[in-house]
Amino acid sequence: MEQSQLISTSLDSQINDLRFQMIIAGQQHGLSSPETLRYSEELDKLILEFQLQYR
């Protein structure tokens, strides 16, 4: 597997894990809680990183 594929797979996995954590935080603490918003911001950064790889 090429390095770019490994990075893509790793980012994809991180994005999915973080998305799951954000959903759980939103259900437990509300969508505007600091914890949920922190997950959302981290998720935005990872998605942007993922998109920039495939420009």
Side-chain angles (χ1 to χ4, degrees), residues 1-9 53-54:
M1 196 177 272
E2 291 182 25
Q3 184 175 359
S4 63
Q5 288 176 321
L6 289 173
I7 292 170
S8 171
T9 303
Q53 281 190 352
Y54 295 98

Side-chain angles (χ1 to χ4, degrees), residues 7-37:
I7 292 170
S8 171
T9 303
S10 174
L11 272 176
D12 186 49
S13 178
Q14 289 175 31
I15 288 169
N16 285 328
D17 290 346
L18 198 54
R19 182 180 291 133
F20 179 76
Q21 291 175 329
M22 183 185 70
I23 291 169
I24 297 300
Q27 290 173 337
Q28 292 178 347
H29 306 290
L31 297 178
S32 60
S33 76
E35 182 179 356
T36 304
L37 294 176

